[in-house]
Every structure is written in structure tokens, then in C-alpha cells.
Amino acid sequence: MIELTPLGDGFAAEVTGLDLAAPVDDILRDDFVAGMDLHAICVIRNDDPVSDKHHLAFGRLFGPLMRQKMQQTVSGRGIRLPTDELIDVGNLDENGDIHTADDPRRAFHMGNLLWHSDVTFDPQRATYSMLAAHQVPPPGADTEFADMRAAYEALSPKMKDRLESLSAEHSIWYSRAVGGMAEVSDDVKATRPPAVHPLINVNPRTGQKSLYLASHASHVIGMPKDEGRALLDDLIVHATQPEFVYRHKWRVGDIAVWDNLQTMHRGVPFDDTKYPRDMRRVTVLERKPGGAS
Ligand code: OGA
Ligand code: MN
């Protein structure tokens, strides 16, 4: 049995009774899913960083894993982690040195400081992201999370009705441009074409609705661009009010698991050209585009 203890007064919980180095059976797995449906973010704390092998194996219990080479594609440089199923979210290059101020991979990571859910730019959405802290810089470098179920519930009935049939287009190149990254070539853009998703997600297990927004969402389908943009901006401001936000302070050995269909998140800036930060993410995808997780 796993135990869940709320973290602070936020909606997230700390999980105990789950050892990723030991086999995780179906009962434990389903317990964890139930915990995620309740809290949307569960943090597993360990004394030491999880091994890449156990991290990947835990992710595979919940669905196919995302592969990503975009940092390499945008920079033309090497890869630090042993497989492209481990997404490098830290600031270290292939030699273990801190990204320099002008490294394109740094500009790419800056996009993580905008409120987003992971991989909304892909037709196959991400369910769980599992971010493991291997090295945490002294100033902290926290991550903030917004509860998109509570944000949905707090909308007026009129707004809920209005959003029911709306979808947005999501593109990684849109959020990266907003984040200040230099334009990439059309060939690079073609590696990640945009995707369209409904603005409301329904949890297939609980029926609970949540807003599905992200920095990657550029405009609303069937609406004049400015009007759709204004709606998305208003919804993001609404959803990220302090009462919906939990701020996680990382410890080495933490694995934070968040449900991308029920939360948004963003990194908090720190002195990233000075202090090393080693964070590795495993990202679980829906089994089918638009299907249940
Ligand atoms: C991520 C992400 C933010 C951070 O791993 O998907 O956006 O604080 N991380 O590292
Ligand atoms: Mn992210």
C-alpha cells in the first residue's frame, strides 16, 4: 500500500511506500494512478537520485514513453543522457559543463519558464511527466504547478459552456518564439508540426474536467486570432492564480510526477549560467492520440 501525505497546503502529495528499485505490481501501479487522480502531482522522495534504469522502467508501467531530440536538433550539438527517452531538463552539456549564455539549448530551456503542460504540441498527448532531481543548485530552482481541475471548477457556468466545444492549436515553435528563442529553419519546424486539442479534458477514470492549456497554444480554432489569443491569455491568468498553485522545492532524489492533463507547470528562474542543475524527465504518452490514459 502506498501512503499519500499532502505537501504543504497545496493539492500535491508526497508518496511513501513506493520503492522504484523494487518490482511494482499491478496493485501498486493502480494505487498510484488513484493517487494521481486525487492529487494530480505526487512526489516520491529518495535519499539518492533514482537510477535511469528504474526511472525508465517506472514510466513504462503507465504507457509508451516520449522520445525527444529537440535540444540536439536546435543546437546541432551532442546528447548528454544515454537514451532519448530521458529528456534533459537541466543546464549541463554533453561534457557536463554548464550551458553558456549563448547556447541554443539554454534558449530552448528558457521556454520552460512559461506556464505549460508537456508535449501539447503533439497529437499524442502526454499523461504523466516524471522529473528526477539529480543535482539541485544552491539557490533552489523551484518548479510551480497549477491545478487545472480547480481552475476549471472556478469558471462561471457561462464560460464552461463556451469552452465545451473549443479547441486550440499548439506548436512548440510558437512557445519557443514567445520565450525568446531565435527562429529555426522550416526543415527543423517540420520535425514538430502543430497539433489541435480540446480546451477541456475529461479524466477517463473519474469524469473530472480540467482546462487543457499551455504556452504552446497559439490560437483557438474557428475564432479570429486576436480574440482566441485573448481568451487563452485570460484563461492562463485565471488558472495560475496563487490559490491554484503549488510550488515545489526540490531535494536531490525527488521524483515529481505530474499529470499533464490536469496541471500546468513552469520553472522558476535561477542563476543558470553559474550553478549546475541536473534534472531528467521521463514522459508517458497516451496510448492513442485523444484516447484514454
Ligand atoms: C519539465 C519542466 C521545469 C523545471 O521538466 O517539463 O518544464 O523547473 N521543468 O525544470
Ligand atoms: Mn515542462
Side-chain angles (χ1 to χ4, degrees):
M1 276 297 280
I2 60 173
E3 265 184 58
L4 300 161
T5 313
L7 279 162
D9 57 3
F11 56 99
E14 178 175 343
V15 183
T16 46
L18 189 58
D19 176 6
L20 300 199
V24 176
D25 64 18
D26 289 354
I27 295 172
L28 212 52
R29 179 198 172 280
D30 292 351
D31 253 14
F32 185 77
V33 171
M36 288 295 292
D37 282 340
L38 212 54
H39 292 280
I41 300 173
C42 288
V43 178
I44 307 161
R45 295 203 128 137
N46 304 286
D47 293 336
D48 299 307
V50 65
S51 72
D52 293 339
K53 185 177 148 220
H54 291 139
H55 190 183
L56 289 160
F58 185 61
R60 282 201 187 94
L61 295 175
F62 302 93
L65 302 186
M66 178 204 190
R67 294 175 177 275
Q68 181 177 283
K69 293 200 196 109
M70 267 189 292
Q71 285 95 323
Q72 291 73 51
T73 311
V74 299
S75 70
R77 312 262 180 89
I79 182 166
R80 181 174 69 98
L81 300 178
T83 152
D84 57 7
E85 288 177 324
L86 275 174
I87 316 295
D88 195 347
V89 190
N91 62 352
L92 302 176
D93 70 13
E94 65 278 22
N95 303 315
D97 296 326
I98 296 175
H99 290 150
T100 53
D102 60 353
D103 190 311
R105 288 169 291 193
R106 176 170 184 259
F108 187 84
H109 282 144
M110 285 294 165
N112 282 344
L113 304 181
L114 303 170
W115 282 109
H116 67 283
S117 302
D118 292 329
V119 208
T120 67
F121 45 81
D122 202 290
Q124 195 170 5
R125 300 180 304 175
T127 55
Y128 298 168
S129 285
M130 306 178 165
L131 186 60
H134 288 249
Q135 194 172 2
V136 176
D142 302 345
T143 307
E144 291 186 309
F145 296 91
D147 185 348
M148 304 300 275
R149 306 161 303 175
Y152 172 80
E153 285 310 326
L155 294 171
S156 68
K158 202 169 146 216
M159 182 58 98
K160 286 180 181 163
D161 273 358
R162 182 174 176 215
L163 299 182
E164 200 63 42
S165 59
L166 294 180
S167 294
E169 184 175 296
H170 298 246
S171 161
I172 182 73
W173 310 118
Y174 175 76
S175 60
R176 266 32 190 177
V178 172
M181 192 176 88
E183 268 288 301
V184 295
S185 69
D186 287 348
D187 283 354
V188 170
K189 277 192 182 158
T191 63
R192 284 280 176 185
V196 171
H197 299 294
L199 283 177
I200 295 181
N201 178 68
V202 184
N203 182 321
R205 294 169 299 280
T206 62
Q208 189 159 34
K209 290 184 177 176
S210 54
L211 283 170
Y212 190 63
L213 302 168
S215 56
H216 314 303
S218 57
H219 61 279
V220 177
I221 304 298
M223 234 189 222
K225 286 231 163 131
D226 289 358
E227 203 181 311
R229 187 64 257 157
L231 176 62
L232 293 171
D233 288 341
D234 286 352
L235 289 172
I236 289 178
V237 168
H238 162 79
T240 57
Q241 296 174 84
E243 68 254 47
F244 305 133
V245 172
Y246 162 70
R247 178 165 172 153
H248 187 64
K249 295 199 173 303
W250 293 97
R251 290 187 210 156
V252 170
D254 283 358
I255 304 173
V257 182
W258 62 86
D259 186 345
N260 285 293
L261 303 178
Q262 313 212 59
T263 57
M264 275 202 297
H265 61 279
R266 68 170 176 186
V268 174
F270 72 104
D271 199 346
D272 67 290
T273 55
K274 185 165 175 195
Y275 299 109
R277 184 174 190 249
D278 182 354
M279 307 287 287
R280 307 178 190 182
R281 197 183 82 210
V282 164
T283 320
V284 182
L285 300 174
E286 285 182 308
R287 292 187 196 279
K288 280 194 241 113
S293 51

